Amino acid sequence: MEKSEIKMEDYQYTVAGIHDQLAALMRLGKEISTETNIDRVLHILGDCAKEILDADRCSIFIYDKDKNELWTKVAHGIKEIRIPATKGVAAAAATTQETQIVIDAYHDFRFNQEIDDKSGYLTKTILAAPLINTKGETIGVFQAINKKGGVFSNVDAELLMLIGNYASVSLENALLYEKIKKSQMKLINKIATAAEFKDEDTSKHTKRVGLYSYLIAKRANLVPQRCEMIKITAPMHDAGKIGIPDRILLKPAKLDKDEFDEMKKHTNIGYELLYDEDDEMLKNAAIIAREHHEKWDGSGYPRGLKGEEITLEGRITAIADVFDALTSVRPYKRAWSVEEAKELFIKESGTHFDPKLVELFLKNFDEVETIYEELKD
Ligand code: C2E
Ligand code: SIN
Ligand code: SIN
Ligand code: SIN
Ligand code: FE
């Protein structure tokens, strides 16, 4: 298949539509440039290409080099499909890195009928463009199927390649972002747990505090992004304990006054450790580390903040942390029953804790117990 060239008659055919197509492309550029979620990226691109090319369906395949397969989650009217990158039109685009135009699928040697056989769909025309990353490697294929009222033209091919450029950049970014996010989440988990009883695996503890906090945030009707943020950052509340000596941290008895004063420093240590002016997540984590031992009546530490001087994040994490501490074994205490813990919140509502948040916490106590049961030590 030769690289497509634009023929004059194609232009005359599409000149009326070209304005709309350009407008759609501009919209696409704007929408896609900030999107980091792969599913969303694929959806936006697929919808856009469908509209611009007047195709019945569009799919973006991601090329899995290790398995030599193409897979997609987004295909209009189809669920996830996986195909070997050895046969079919999309595979040809992937391996040759050239756009493929098929005008009569069932009489074309490149066509792989298996997908139609499975889905009951009748493919007639196909346009498939390779998605190539900045290193020149194939990362996927952009495929449009069944042009409404005709066959795909060279102009369509050019347009798909243009959208394909967006798709390649967006997809590469999104794939990289997912990779970074995965390793970031691992790192967060390590930071969160490193501090706790150093040698023990307390990842369940930090996870639970994240989930209790998330639950309260949701029931307090915070916007989804803020809830998600709390879920990620609340587990880091005790990161500063990494700076507390083991003889205090692991003491199997009550702390004396000097020891407790030393222990209180974990809040400010955590803040200093995590704070980053340019990173929203770390900033948020730092604030939680500093404020999770503040109390509603102003008797907490390190700053003795009172009421709504304490951020909502700080007030939420205070509840989650204490609930989890009470219901867990510590070197210095036995685990309380869920009922005993509940009593403490009723008692300390309005003194230690924000009364409105305690109310939400207790109102949704069945969900609290579900997390407790599912993530038991
Ligand atoms: P932590 O063990 O994660 O406990 C977090 C918070 O849960 C405590 O903050 C406290 O508000 C609440 N909490 C935990 N256990 C109990 C309890 O038995 N009764 C009541 N009423 N509340 C409880 P706090 O007190 O500011 O302590 C901060 C951290 O200092 C604790 O984190 C723990 O690491 C350490 N710590 C506190 N008291 C002792 C102690 O007597 N011995 C030792 N070894 N460490 C202690
Ligand atoms: C192929 O790539 O040959 C199959 C096209 C399809 O129906 O999805
Ligand atoms: C500190 O600045 O690290 C100590 C403050 C405190 O008492 O928590
Ligand atoms: C509140 O105090 O309930 C809202 C304040 C905030 O959004 O931090
Ligand atoms: Fe703490």
Side-chain angles (χ1 to χ4, degrees):
M1 177 82 206
E2 274 178 318
K3 265 228 158 69
S4 49
E5 283 158 33
I6 297 177
K7 284 195 236 101
M8 221 36 228
E9 59 265 33
D10 286 333
Y11 266 127
Q12 276 148 17
Y13 257 114
T14 53
V15 88
I18 209 112
H19 196 82
D20 292 343
Q21 290 170 329
L22 281 177
L25 265 179
M26 304 283 273
R27 267 205 323 276
L28 174 69
K30 216 165 147 187
E31 262 187 84
I32 211 76
S33 59
T34 54
E35 195 51 62
T36 48
N37 178 297
I38 288 187
D39 288 354
R40 285 265 309 147
V41 165
L42 298 184
H43 255 294
I44 295 169
L45 287 164
D47 285 347
C48 176
K50 195 168 113 107
E51 185 185 330
I52 289 175
L53 300 175
D54 209 14
D56 187 48
R57 39 172 79 164
C58 274
S59 348
I60 297 168
F61 292 93
I62 293 173
Y63 180 52
D64 182 338
K65 205 164 82 183
D66 297 332
K67 292 188 179 144
N68 197 34
E69 280 179 344
L70 292 162
W71 64 271
T72 183
K73 286 191 207 168
V74 182
H76 293 108
I78 322 176
K79 295 214 177 71
E80 173 171 330
I81 53 177
R82 262 183 186 272
I83 50 175
T86 47
K87 50 184 176 176
V89 178
T95 50
T96 63
Q97 297 201 328
E98 306 239 339
T99 297
Q100 312 285 313
I101 302 180
V102 170
I103 56 172
D104 182 2
Y106 280 82
H107 292 100
D108 196 299
F109 71 95
R110 291 165 294 179
F111 180 62
N112 172 14
Q113 201 184 316
E114 283 168 37
I115 295 168
D116 274 9
D117 289 346
K118 270 187 216 152
S119 65
Y121 186 77
L122 186 65
T123 300
K124 293 183 194 121
T125 61
I126 306 174
L127 184 60
L131 301 174
I132 297 165
N133 71 8
T134 45
K135 287 186 211 151
E137 303 157 340
T138 302
I139 54 170
V141 174
F142 208 149
Q143 179 176 263
I145 293 185
N146 288 359
K147 172 103 177 165
K148 287 177 191 153
V151 296
F152 291 107
S153 67
N154 287 327
V155 169
D156 291 331
E158 291 292 327
L159 281 168
L160 188 62
M161 278 195 281
L162 249 179
I163 307 168
N165 287 340
Y166 281 119
S168 301
V169 174
S170 309
L171 204 56
E172 196 175 16
N173 282 343
L175 288 166
L176 186 64
Y177 180 84
E178 291 223 334
K179 217 164 130 187
I180 291 171
K181 204 163 163 204
K182 242 188 218 155
S183 87
Q184 199 181 34
M185 291 306 293
K186 277 192 198 155
L187 187 62
I188 285 168
N189 240 335
K190 285 180 194 292
I191 292 170
T193 54
E196 291 277 323
F197 311 121
K198 288 159 185 172
D199 50 353
E200 275 178 59
D201 177 20
T202 53
S203 65
K204 275 192 190 159
H205 160 60
T206 55
K207 213 174 270 168
R208 284 191 304 258
V209 172
L211 290 175
Y212 294 139
S213 301
Y214 180 66
L215 172 63
I216 301 168
K218 267 199 313 195
R219 296 297 162 248
N221 278 324
L222 302 195
V223 295
Q225 293 95 311
R226 203 167 165 194
C227 299
E228 288 296 329
M229 185 68 107
I230 290 175
K231 185 160 77 180
I232 296 169
T233 53
M236 287 186 271
H237 65 281
D238 269 344
K241 278 186 179 170
I242 204 154
I244 304 300
D246 283 3
R247 73 181 157 78
I248 296 173
L249 199 60
L250 304 178
K251 187 178 175 180
K254 202 165 161 50
L255 303 177
D256 66 28
K257 181 169 182 313
D258 286 349
E259 289 167 335
F260 195 56
D261 283 345
E262 190 69 19
M263 176 59 90
K264 284 178 176 174
K265 293 181 184 171
H266 80 278
T267 51
N268 283 328
I269 293 170
Y271 182 79
E272 300 293 334
L273 184 73
L274 295 168
Y275 191 85
D276 188 311
E277 180 61 43
D278 302 319
D279 187 309
E280 274 315 304
M281 192 189 71
L282 287 174
K283 231 193 225 173
N284 198 281
I287 289 166
I288 286 176
R290 183 162 67 176
E291 295 185 2
H292 73 281
H293 288 297
E294 298 289 359
K295 295 186 179 178
W296 184 253
D297 65 5
S299 68
Y301 61 91
R303 292 186 289 169
L305 299 179
K306 199 172 169 170
E308 289 184 3
E309 288 170 6
I310 311 161
T311 62
L312 202 46
E313 278 77 0
R315 283 176 271 146
I316 287 172
T317 314
I319 294 174
D321 179 36
V322 172
F323 180 77
D324 196 61
L326 293 177
T327 53
S328 305
V329 185
R330 290 284 194 262
Y332 65 95
K333 62 172 277 295
R334 67 171 178 95
W336 294 22
S337 73
V338 165
E339 280 309 312
E340 286 174 299
K342 200 172 172 179
E343 286 306 312
L344 180 123
F345 282 95
I346 293 166
K347 200 173 89 201
E348 298 277 322
S349 174
T351 49
H352 188 157
F353 308 107
D354 179 342
K356 276 194 220 140
L357 294 178
V358 170
E359 199 187 318
L360 290 176
F361 189 66
L362 297 177
K363 214 161 90 187
N364 296 282
F365 210 70
D366 51 330
E367 291 180 90
V368 174
E369 288 189 277
T370 303
I371 299 168
Y372 170 84
E373 289 296 336
E374 278 177 6
L375 282 169
K376 251 186 171 150
D377 286 313

